[in-house]
């Protein structure tokens, strides 16, 4: 019988005997997968708006009603004093100020033109940007309504109206959960996998058992495989639990096949665990390994394309993300879950992962020295 | 072939400017109980690690069980047992699981592992504790178990690095009985210790001071040479010359 069998037996026993590890493996991902997609929402709601209405006309009233009826905005002050509105921005009570000038209605009827002033609190850039965009949309829609109501069609259509109507392919309702849940699942198995594997070898170093292993005729590849396989199995289990939750809680069933996802996940896990083992074999103690893992994870996660779009990153960063395994899996996840891509559609990403896995794990085996 | 289990010639290990082991030479005969003494920091553990293939020598030659330490270190590993200063069984595995794991990676057949494990548990009077986690055993028992695991695969030589540190006198005596049993079946014993009474149990002892071997002979001859009543006196006489501070 191969010594590998004995190593695996030992690793599995140790894993299942450690109650902390079991919690990390099963309970944490479940909680996170249920909690995070609800909270990590791209839609911005509750934008606080301060309106300065110097016109107090029927039109200005209507416009304000349109804005507050949209569900995106919360009217925090309705005043005719700019200083008071500015103060609410300074106190962080308002995100936007909309100023409706005097004679707004009159100008609109007589001159066919009127101006609005919009001031944005850009401390929370995302909120401010989106808020301004939403508001512009509302005003435009109001503008269009106004024309239809007041102008006789055909006679005074000085300006052609161009309207863009968009349809969202692959996610028609733009349900951000369909978009976030698979991505968060990728992050979860990455965090679990890399953390567990990175503290593993180093734990043997701390306990001194590594020395006892090193005086045996154990083969380096056996040792590394013995460390890799158990976490690989755990990774596959965690991702299966994740798929189950995605289906039960969010009703997400991949358009493509689970088989394709598992094939990719299998290779992907080899990469992640290999990186973990590599960190472990270069670290002196568990703290060191955890710190390095945390640092790498943070870069991987933030530059993985889940929270920000890779296409809008600067060129150097886009090059950098090509080294980031997370970005490949998130891409593949979305392709398979939303678009129904098949295995030959994801072949390029798969090939890169295979090369990555071979490279990292060869390095991990080579970096493990039985003799110093 | 060779009647020596270990042959060391001018072996050195240097860490930067520091010569941990400085040009040592000695031989250990097959079946011998060889005591490797020295104060803390004298270089005993470093020397032992070089012989076990855990540490690469800087210069000099050495062969263990007939294999060269530079090129054939993996062959050496098949033929030696090692018990490090740090306790090295898995605390979160049971007694039986520890034995099975180490025996397994030496490639012993499953049936033989089973039979020999039962025999060993009986011998150590650990049958009741066989399925207890090692972390629950008292230190002395752990040490005896660690030694038994180190010789489970019947190596030619076993290296013991301060195996009785922190253990009570009765357990130490029992431990030495195990060492004698192992020597009786032909296993060469290479042991470091700080207890001078244990040095008396050895066939021959060497005393290391500042990385060099200052004396090497049987305990009786050493006492004669240094005109001392006990090994304690011999050791103090030599170790006081040490310039290294820990």
């Amino acid at each position: 019988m191969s010594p590998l069998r004995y190593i695996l037996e030992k690793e599995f026993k140790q894993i299942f005997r450690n109650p902390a590890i079991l919690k990390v493996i099963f309970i944490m991902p479940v909680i996170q997968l249920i909690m995070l997609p609800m909270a990590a929402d791209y839609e911005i709601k509750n934008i606080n708006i301060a309106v300065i209405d110097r016109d107090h006309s029927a039109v200005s009233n209507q416009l304000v009603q349109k804005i507050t009826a949209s569900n995106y905005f919360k009217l925090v002050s309705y005043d005719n004093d700019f200083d008071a509105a500015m103060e609410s921005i300074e106190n962080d009570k308002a995100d936007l100020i909309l100023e409706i000038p005097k004679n707004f209605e009159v100008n609109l009827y007589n001159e066919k033109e009127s101006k609005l002033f919009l001031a944005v609190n850009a401390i929370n850039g995302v909120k401010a940007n989106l808020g301004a965009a939403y508001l512009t949309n509302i005003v435009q829609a109001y503008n269009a309504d106004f024309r239809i109501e007041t102008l006789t069609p055909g006679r005074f259509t000085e300006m052609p109206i161009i309207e863009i109507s968009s349809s969202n392919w692959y996610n028609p309702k733009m349900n951000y959960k369909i978009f976030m849940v698979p991505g968060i699942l990728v992050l979860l198995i990455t965090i679990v996998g890399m953390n567990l594997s990175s503290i593993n070898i180093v734990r043997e170093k701390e306990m001194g058992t590594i020395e006892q292993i090193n005086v045996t005729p154990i083969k380096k590849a056996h040792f590394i495989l013995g460390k890799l396989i158990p976490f690989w199995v755990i990774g596959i289990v965690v991702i299966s639990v994740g798929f189950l939750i995605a289906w039960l809680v969010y009703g997400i069933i991949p358009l493509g096949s689970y088989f394709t996802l598992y094939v990719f996940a299998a290779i992907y896990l080899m990469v992640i665990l290999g990186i973990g083992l590599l960190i472990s074999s270069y670290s002196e103690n568990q703290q060191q390994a955890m710190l390095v893992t945390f640092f790498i994870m943070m870069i991987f996660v933030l530059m993985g394309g889940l929270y920000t779009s890779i296409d809008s990153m600067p060129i150097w960063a886009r090059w950098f993300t090509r080294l980031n395994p997370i970005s490949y899996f998130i891409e593949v996840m979305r392709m398979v879950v939303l678009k129904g891509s098949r295995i030959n559609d994801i072949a390029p990403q798969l090939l890169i992962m295979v090369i990555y896995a071979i490279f990292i794990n060869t390095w991990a085996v080579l970096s493990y020295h039985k003799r110093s | 072939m060779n009647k020596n289990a270990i042959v060391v010639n001018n072996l050195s290990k240097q860490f930067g400017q520091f010569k941990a082991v400085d040009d040592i030479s000695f031989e250990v005969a097959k079946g011998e109980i060889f005591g490797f003494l020295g104060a803390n920091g004298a270089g005993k553990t470093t020397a032992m690690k070089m012989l076990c293939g855990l540490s690469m020598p800087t210069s000099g030659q050495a062969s263990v069980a007939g294999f060269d330490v530079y090129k054939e270190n993996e062959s050496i590993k098949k033929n030696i047992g090692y018990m490090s200063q740090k306790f090295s069984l898995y605390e979160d595995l049971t007694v039986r699981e520890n034995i099975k794991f180490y025996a397994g990676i030496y490639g012993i057949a499953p049936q033989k592992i089973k039979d020999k494990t039962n025999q060993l548990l009986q011998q150590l009077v650990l049958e009741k504790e066989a399925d207890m986690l090692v972390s629950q055993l008292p230190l002395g028992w752990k040490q005896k178990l660690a030694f038994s695991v180190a010789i489970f695969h019947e190596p030619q030589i076993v290296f013991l690095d301060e195996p009785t540190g922190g253990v009570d006198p009765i357990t130490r005596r029992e431990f030495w009985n195990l060492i004698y049993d192992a020597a009786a079946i032909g296993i060469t014993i290479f042991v470091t210790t700080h207890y001078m009474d244990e040095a008396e149990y050895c066939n021959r002892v060497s005393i290391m001071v500042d990385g060099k071997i200052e004396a090497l002979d049987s305990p009786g001859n050493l006492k004669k040479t240094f005109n001392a009543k006990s090994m304690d006196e011999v050791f103090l006489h030599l170790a006081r010359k040490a310039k290294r501070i820990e």
Side-chain angles (χ1 to χ4, degrees):
Chain A
M1 229 182 311
S2 158
L4 182 58
R5 205 200 70 116
Y6 290 95
I7 303 169
L8 289 177
E9 190 182 326
K10 162 203 160 253
E11 294 293 335
F12 273 116
K13 275 184 186 144
Q14 287 184 306
I15 290 167
F16 287 106
R17 238 164 242 179
N18 187 339
I21 286 189
L22 279 181
K23 277 178 206 145
V24 168
I25 295 171
F26 294 108
I27 299 172
M28 297 260 292
V30 170
I31 291 174
Q32 293 190 355
L33 208 53
I34 290 173
M35 206 173 69
L36 284 179
M38 308 264 193
D41 186 340
Y42 275 144
E43 280 184 74
I44 304 269
K45 284 177 187 154
N46 307 323
I47 302 165
N48 300 315
I49 188 165
V51 174
I52 308 158
D53 190 352
R54 298 192 201 277
D55 198 32
H56 289 290
S57 59
V59 172
S60 74
N61 252 331
Q62 248 179 353
L63 182 62
V64 173
Q65 260 172 32
K66 284 257 181 214
I67 291 166
T68 48
S70 70
N71 275 331
Y72 290 111
F73 295 98
K74 226 165 73 186
L75 191 64
V76 287
S77 82
Y78 185 76
D79 224 312
N80 45 22
D81 180 16
F82 189 84
D83 290 341
M86 199 57 214
E87 208 181 294
S88 62
I89 277 206
E90 275 163 11
N91 295 341
D92 234 10
K93 282 182 190 135
D95 301 305
L96 296 174
I97 301 176
L98 178 71
E99 189 181 355
I100 304 169
K102 224 177 166 78
N103 301 328
F104 178 71
E105 189 184 66
V106 175
N107 286 340
L108 204 59
Y109 279 109
N110 297 344
E111 321 267 328
K112 307 271 177 278
E113 194 182 308
S114 209
K115 285 186 172 144
L116 288 169
F117 174 74
L118 185 61
V120 177
N121 175 7
I123 284 187
N124 184 343
V126 178
K127 205 171 180 184
N129 257 331
L130 279 171
Y134 289 162
L135 198 63
T136 312
N137 259 333
I138 293 170
V139 172
Q140 261 168 14
Y142 180 74
N143 191 17
D145 288 349
F146 184 77
R147 280 171 180 235
I148 291 161
E149 271 173 42
T150 57
L151 303 178
T152 319
R155 277 185 62 191
F156 289 104
T157 41
E158 300 115 348
M159 246 190 281
I161 300 168
I162 299 173
E163 201 183 315
I164 300 170
S165 64
S166 59
S167 68
N168 301 305
W169 276 79
Y170 309 122
N171 190 359
K173 288 181 188 158
M174 274 298 266
N175 181 350
Y176 73 95
K177 283 187 184 115
I178 296 186
F179 177 80
M180 289 301 280
V181 171
I184 287 174
L185 183 55
V186 170
L187 298 191
L188 278 181
I189 65 160
T190 311
I191 293 169
V192 169
M194 204 186 283
N195 266 315
L196 289 181
S197 62
S198 74
I199 56 170
N200 190 282
I201 295 181
V202 91
R203 189 157 159 259
E204 298 230 14
K205 274 187 206 167
E206 277 185 354
M207 295 194 311
T209 46
I210 191 95
E211 212 170 76
Q212 198 67 41
I213 297 278
N214 287 345
V215 288
T216 69
I218 195 169
K219 288 197 175 65
K220 282 159 104 182
H222 278 166
F223 181 74
I224 295 288
L225 275 177
K227 295 286 178 193
L228 207 71
I229 294 170
F231 296 122
W232 184 86
V233 172
I234 287 168
I236 292 291
V237 171
V238 170
I239 203 167
S240 306
V241 171
F243 284 145
L244 195 69
I245 291 172
W247 172 56
L248 289 177
V249 179
Y250 303 102
I252 298 171
I253 297 167
L255 223 56
S257 71
Y258 279 111
F259 174 76
T260 314
L261 288 174
Y262 274 108
V263 168
F264 193 87
I267 311 281
Y268 175 79
L269 275 171
M270 298 296 280
V271 175
I272 291 303
L273 299 177
I275 294 173
L277 291 183
L278 206 54
I279 294 170
S280 201
S281 89
Y282 280 109
S283 302
E284 295 297 322
N285 51 52
Q286 294 192 53
Q287 282 99 317
Q288 223 179 66
M290 279 157 88
L291 208 67
V292 174
T293 309
F294 182 73
F295 177 72
I296 292 178
M297 277 305 307
M298 197 144 111
I299 294 173
F300 275 10
V301 169
L302 291 179
M303 295 183 76
L306 181 65
Y307 295 114
T308 49
S309 163
I310 290 172
D311 295 324
S312 53
M313 290 178 189
I315 293 174
W316 63 265
R318 264 180 276 166
W319 274 98
F320 184 77
T321 58
R322 293 190 186 176
L323 291 174
N324 183 352
I326 288 186
S327 72
Y328 290 95
F329 199 10
I330 287 183
E331 196 184 346
V332 165
M333 210 36 140
R334 286 177 178 165
M335 284 169 77
V336 177
V337 173
L338 296 173
K339 226 162 112 183
S341 298
R342 290 156 191 278
I343 206 138
N344 46 327
D345 299 321
I346 62 155
Q349 287 89 340
L350 199 60
L351 182 70
I352 291 169
M353 280 301 106
V354 169
I355 295 168
Y356 211 145
I358 293 171
F359 173 74
I360 288 289
N361 288 294
T362 310
W363 188 2
V365 172
L366 293 179
S367 73
Y368 162 50
H369 297 290
K370 286 179 76 178
R371 173 148 76 169
S372 57
Chain B
M1 275 171 16
N2 202 323
K3 65 177 177 56
N4 288 323
I6 304 170
V7 181
V8 177
N9 283 312
N10 311 106
L11 198 67
S12 296
K13 175 86 186 190
Q14 206 162 338
F15 298 104
Q17 287 299 303
F18 179 71
K19 280 192 166 174
V21 174
D22 190 1
D23 197 24
I24 59 169
S25 302
F26 62 90
E27 281 155 15
V28 178
K30 275 182 185 166
E32 193 173 13
I33 300 178
F34 189 83
F36 202 57
L37 314 188
N40 290 330
K44 303 179 306 271
T45 301
T46 310
M48 192 180 251
K49 283 186 177 172
M50 283 194 280
L51 298 178
C52 294
L54 285 175
S55 173
M56 190 63 123
T58 311
S59 64
Q61 287 90 45
S63 78
V64 174
F67 297 104
D68 181 61
V69 288
Y70 289 97
K71 292 182 209 121
E72 298 166 308
N73 56 320
E74 289 303 299
S75 303
I76 290 176
K77 287 172 184 173
K78 282 183 195 139
N79 292 288
I80 60 165
Y82 172 73
M83 184 178 160
S84 75
Q85 222 165 357
K86 248 182 168 178
F87 177 70
S88 56
L89 295 179
Y90 291 94
E91 302 254 350
D92 50 355
L93 293 181
T94 67
V95 173
R96 205 187 284 278
E97 285 162 353
N98 265 292
I99 298 172
K100 188 179 175 191
F101 170 67
Y102 280 113
I105 55 177
Y106 279 101
I108 303 172
Q111 191 54 49
K112 194 174 174 195
I113 295 178
K114 234 180 236 171
D115 297 344
K116 226 185 141 185
T117 301
N118 290 332
Q119 194 187 324
L120 175 67
L121 291 173
Q122 208 173 359
Q123 194 190 333
L124 292 176
V125 205
L126 273 174
E127 287 148 305
K128 265 189 256 163
E129 290 80 7
D131 295 312
M132 250 164 76
L133 293 184
V134 164
S135 57
Q136 292 167 306
L137 296 181
L139 181 68
W141 295 23
K142 286 183 191 173
Q143 299 293 74
K144 282 193 279 182
L145 179 64
F147 175 73
S148 305
V149 168
I151 59 163
F152 195 87
H153 59 291
E154 296 162 12
Q156 295 182 36
I157 307 156
V158 65
F159 291 88
L160 309 170
D161 197 359
E162 287 174 34
T164 53
V167 166
D168 68 75
I170 299 167
T171 316
R172 266 171 58 203
R173 177 55 69 88
E174 285 169 3
F175 194 94
W176 273 88
N177 285 337
L178 289 177
I179 292 181
Y180 279 125
D181 289 346
I185 58 167
I187 297 177
T188 308
I189 314 282
F190 187 96
V191 57
T192 74
T193 179
H194 282 152
Y195 299 104
M196 288 310 129
D197 58 329
E198 289 184 356
E200 308 264 5
Y201 301 148
C202 300
N203 299 123
R204 282 192 309 149
V205 296
S206 74
I207 298 176
M208 251 181 122
V209 180
D210 289 351
K212 290 182 158 61
I213 290 182
E214 288 292 322
L216 198 172
D217 214 328
S218 67
N221 285 345
L222 282 176
K223 279 183 270 186
K224 248 183 248 162
T225 315
F226 291 96
N227 196 18
K229 279 190 230 80
S230 66
M231 278 304 293
D232 232 22
E233 271 179 47
V234 175
F235 185 80
L236 288 175
H237 177 81
L238 288 167
R240 272 206 190 110
K241 289 195 258 173
K243 289 182 190 74
R244 268 186 205 169
I245 303 159
E246 230 189 302

